[in-house]
Amino acid sequence: ENFGTLHEFTIAFETDTPIGFLEGGGGISDEIQRLLDLAKPLRHHSAEVFFNDSADGLLKELTAFLDKEHAKYHNLYQ
């Protein structure tokens, strides 16, 4: 489970895919922020990583980001 989460995070991060972590879930997800801080000098990406201790809050943050990021496509779905 821990390696799977780390692998999924790495793929999302490397492909600039937004990713969210529910804080307090345990495992590697609790270490991601520390890993990001360690990697900061090496980062050449601007992948969006969201952290929230509420599932509803996390979904709202991700949805708001994606709505803004893809606003030009909103008319396609109306």
Side-chain angles (χ1 to χ4, degrees):
E1 178 180 292
N2 284 332
F3 286 114
T5 301
L6 184 58
H7 181 70
E8 291 166 358
F9 166 73
T10 303
I11 290 170
F13 188 75
E14 291 293 323
T15 60
D16 292 327
T17 302
I19 187 168
F21 286 95
L22 186 60
E23 294 176 311
I28 196 71
S29 63
D30 286 345
E31 299 298 325
I32 293 296
Q33 184 64 54
R34 190 172 67 80
L35 291 172
L36 285 172
D37 291 341
L38 289 171
K40 195 173 285 187
L42 305 173
R43 290 175 66 183
H44 302 288
H45 310 238
S46 59
E48 295 292 328
V49 184
F50 298 90
F51 297 89
N52 201 308
D53 61 357
S54 158
D56 288 340
L58 186 58
L59 287 174
K60 285 178 185 175
E61 285 184 64
L62 283 165
T63 301
F65 172 78
L66 291 171
D67 281 347
K68 183 178 175 186
E69 187 76 8
H70 300 290
K72 63 185 175 185
Y73 303 112
H74 286 187
N75 65 339
L76 296 174
Y77 300 103
Q78 295 179 1

